[in-house]
Amino acid sequence: MRAAKTAQVWQWPAPRRETPPDQTAQRRRPQVQPVIGLAFLFLTGYLGGILVCRSGVPEFGILLADYYMDKQNFTAFGSVFASMAAALFLQASAVTLCGTSAVGAAPLALLFAGKGLLTGAAAASVYAAGGARGLVVYWLLTCLPDIAVLLLLLWLSQAAYGLSRALFQIMLGGGTVRGALKVKAKMLLYRYLLTLVVGVGCGGLGAGAAVLFAGVLL
């Protein structure tokens, strides 16, 4: 009896089972795939905006080109910064609202495709109006804030998609882990606030650069 008890006391602990690499990849893949898909939709919309302006620049493209080629729109730092901050707030709020809906994946896709379409149309319209020089000036004016906002929105959309997917599963009658919905909602709110803070900082830098480049090149 004592020998048996001693053997149980000094029994080596069972080795821990590590998650196979393929299972880990399967868990991470659903979180990365929506972001990649939205980025692809943005690029598709960007190319679509360029193609739309090949046959003829539409009215909204002419308005965009006139705005970016007008030096008066980039003389005051406050107005430039306010416009960039307002655009960031509206886009981040739209992504967050999509996350609070069970069918938010579809509006998210339309949002990024439309953003790409407008960005591509603006670049093509500026090129049609000002040539290569106008396009370079346009990129210098908008490159930093546009890239920063796009990356932040993609990061925010990951949390928005996760919450929307959980709500969709509940709508179909599927169960969810207790407390998981609350965690996803908190994550979305945290990323929304952080997106605004970081985006405002990048907008300040972008506004300063835009005023500087516009004063020299326009």
Side-chain angles (χ1 to χ4, degrees), residues 43-62:
L43 294 176
T44 303
Y46 190 91
L47 295 176
I50 294 176
L51 294 177
V52 166
C53 296
R54 286 190 64 183
S55 57
V57 179
E59 186 65 27
F60 73 92
I62 296 176

Side-chain angles (χ1 to χ4, degrees), residues 10 18 25 81 89 162 214:
W10 291 99
E18 298 182 356
F81 174 74
F89 175 76

Side-chain angles (χ1 to χ4, degrees), residues 96 99-100 156 159-160 163 183-192:
T96 303
T100 60
L156 178 63
L163 179 59
V183 171
K184 292 180 182 296
K186 286 184 176 180
M187 177 60 69
L188 178 59
L189 179 60
Y190 165 76
R191 292 197 178 190
Y192 172 69

Side-chain angles (χ1 to χ4, degrees), residues 54-180:
R54 286 190 64 183
S55 57
V57 179
E59 186 65 27
F60 73 92
I62 296 176
L63 295 176
L64 290 174
D66 292 340
Y67 174 80
Y68 286 111
M69 292 293 99
D70 189 358
K71 184 177 180 179
Q72 299 299 322
N73 295 324
F74 298 94
T75 55
F77 173 82
S79 61
V80 176
F81 174 74
S83 62
M84 290 183 178
L88 170 67
F89 175 76
L90 291 176
Q91 295 177 78
S93 299
V95 172
T96 303
L97 288 176
C98 290
T100 60
S101 173
V103 292
L108 272 177
L110 293 176
L111 177 64
F112 278 88
K115 179 177 175 60
L117 179 66
L118 289 177
T119 306
S125 300
V126 170
Y127 178 77
R133 183 182 182 279
L135 184 60
V136 171
V137 173
Y138 165 76
W139 279 340
L140 291 175
L141 295 176
T142 62
C143 181
L144 177 60
D146 282 354
I147 293 178
V149 169
L150 177 61
L151 294 178
L152 287 172
L153 291 180
L154 288 173
W155 181 64
L156 178 63
S157 67
Q158 183 179 4
Y161 178 83
L163 179 59
S164 176
R165 183 180 180 184
L167 292 173
F168 184 74
Q169 291 176 349
I170 293 176
M171 185 182 68
L172 295 180
T176 182
V177 180
R178 184 178 181 181

Side-chain angles (χ1 to χ4, degrees), residues 186-204:
K186 286 184 176 180
M187 177 60 69
L188 178 59
L189 179 60
Y190 165 76
R191 292 197 178 190
Y192 172 69
L193 296 177
L194 193 57
T195 295
L196 293 180
V197 172
V198 177
V200 166
C202 294

